[in-house]
Each structure stands twice: as C-alpha cells, then as structure tokens.
Amino acid sequence: CVILDVQAACQDATVTQELLKEGFHRDLLVKVELGVVGEDAGGCAVAARTHLPPGIYVDPYELASLQQHNLTKAALIPDVINVEAPEYLATDLLVLLYMEPDPRCSRCFRAALPVHGRYHQPAEESEKALVVLKSPEVLVCCCDNRLSAECWKPTEVEAPCSGKNVSPCQWYSVTHKPAYEELILQVPVGLRQHSSLVCVVTLLATVLCSSLILAAVCKYGHFS
C-alpha cells in the first residue's frame, strides 16, 4: 500500500491515507489523529472531505449497502454517479467520509471507503495510468465548542454531524500548512498497438458465443 502523511500546523494533527488491494477495486483507508482538541476527543464528530478526480469513483449502490450494515458512513456530492462512464467522460466527485473513533487512541479516528478505478483511453507505451488523490480536508464538530480559533476555522459544509442525523451542524476545518504530498493510484490500461488484436479476438469470441447460443436454441428450443 501507499501511505500519505500530512502534518498540521497546530499541535501536529495528522492525516494518513492508504490505498489497499490492487487493480481497479481498492479500499481507501483514512486515519486522523487530532492534536488540537486536547487529550480526549470524545464528543467530537470527525469527517474527511475527500476530492476524487474523474479517474476514480465510489459506487453509490455499494455504499448504500455498506451503510445499511453500518460498515461505513459517507455522503457523495453529487449523489448521482454514472458508474459505467470512462475516465475521459466522468466528472469530479466529493466524498464526506464520517470517521469512527479508534479504540487504541483517544484522539484517533479512522474510516475505510471502497473506491474503483475507471477505464482510461489506451496508452502509447505505459500500461499504467496515474490517478492523483490529494490529501483530504479534516472536518470536526465538537459539542462543547472547545476548538481553538487559531487551529480551526468554520467551513461551509451543509452536512449532518453523523450519517444518522438529519439536521446539519457547524463543521470546522483544520488550518494547516499547504500539503504537496499526493497519493498515486495506478490503474491498468491497454496499449494502442494491441487494438487490432483485441478487435479480432473480440469478434471471434462474439461469433463463437453467438453460434453456440444459436445451436442450443435449434437443438433444445420448442417451435410451434
């Protein structure tokens, strides 16, 4: 897996991103350690606002299934996504990923989100397309207003404090130094010089399968 660390300017709040698994279907694991809230972050809701470029997406149907079983909590913007669109016809996506407390650390939170790579146009040389994931923005909502004004600022996010609440709350974003680190997702792509071979093999497979279906219909079909 690939790891991204971002050190915040105030008391070393840290964001870590990891891409798990290989190929088109991955898990994005996000970890947050808050140093600006105090020794204990109990009572605070934490979320990561992640920007996904066109080369990667979240399946809304898969996400709905996971949320039904309380395996993850997230909001998609926009919430209507064309999962069949290739990379060059897709648009950006914003994900608000609600995080769960880490039992091993009183100031730590984590969450995982399944993401999928889109098909890219065939390349000339490289068999890998690079999709760049920038570090997420950390959002916090604390019930007792104990966030430091020097480290956190109000943000315009119309979203509830958790995946279950309906009414929106006041989110605060961590102020940190600009982060230049990036998480790179490598997506397999085809080569242009293989296009003729792919077309021939696809045509032969189509003819063979159509012939087998036609033969089965003629042999076992009942015609009046």
Side-chain angles (χ1 to χ4, degrees):
C1 60
V2 186
I3 299 179
L4 167 68
D5 289 317
V6 179
Q7 290 292 331
C10 294
Q11 301 184 26
D12 296 324
T14 306
V15 182
T16 303
Q17 285 192 130
E18 301 179 39
L19 273 175
L20 310 178
K21 302 180 182 178
E22 298 292 337
F24 283 92
H25 310 290
R26 313 291 288 270
D27 284 337
L28 178 61
L29 177 62
V30 181
K31 301 178 184 178
V32 173
E33 181 177 357
L34 298 178
V36 295
V37 182
E39 291 300 322
D40 187 4
C44 294
V46 180
R49 185 162 64 171
T50 303
H51 172 266
L52 299 183
I56 192 172
Y57 71 97
V58 176
D59 188 335
Y61 305 103
E62 180 184 20
L63 180 60
S65 177
L66 292 173
Q67 294 191 128
Q68 265 190 336
H69 295 86
N70 292 324
L71 297 178
T72 190
K73 299 175 185 176
L76 305 180
I77 306 171
D79 56 357
V80 178
I81 301 172
N82 185 356
V83 299
E84 302 294 338
E87 178 270 339
Y88 48 88
L89 295 179
T91 57
D92 294 356
L93 174 66
L94 275 177
V95 180
L96 187 64
L97 180 61
Y98 297 98
M99 314 198 72
E100 296 290 339
D102 190 335
R104 296 169 295 182
C105 172
S106 61
R107 295 178 289 110
C108 300
F109 298 80
R110 58 186 293 154
L113 181 72
V115 295
H116 307 275
R118 293 188 183 273
Y119 290 109
H120 288 62
Q121 289 184 330
E124 294 291 346
E125 298 179 357
S126 175
E127 295 183 357
K128 300 285 186 180
L130 302 182
V131 179
V132 178
L133 291 176
K134 296 183 178 180
S135 60
E137 179 184 9
V138 179
L139 304 178
V140 171
C141 178
C142 292
C143 300
D144 53 5
N145 297 320
R146 50 191 154 127
L147 298 176
S148 172
E150 293 78 16
C151 298
W152 300 84
K153 60 180 179 180
T155 183
E156 296 179 1
V157 175
E158 292 292 333
C161 283
S162 69
K164 296 181 179 179
N165 296 340
V166 177
S167 59
C169 66
Q170 178 61 66
W171 288 97
Y172 289 84
S173 174
V174 62
T175 57
H176 59 79
K177 297 178 180 179
Y180 299 99
E181 295 87 349
E182 296 171 335
L183 187 62
I184 305 296
L185 170 65
Q186 294 185 348
V187 180
V189 297
L191 297 178
R192 292 186 184 276
Q193 57 264 35
H194 295 162
S195 58
S196 299
L197 177 61
V198 172
C199 290
V200 171
V201 173
T202 302
L203 178 61
L204 292 177
T206 303
V207 172
L208 176 60
C209 293
S210 301
S211 301
L212 292 175
I213 294 174
L214 182 60
V217 170
C218 294
K219 184 175 181 180
Y220 300 104
H222 299 282
F223 304 95
S224 57

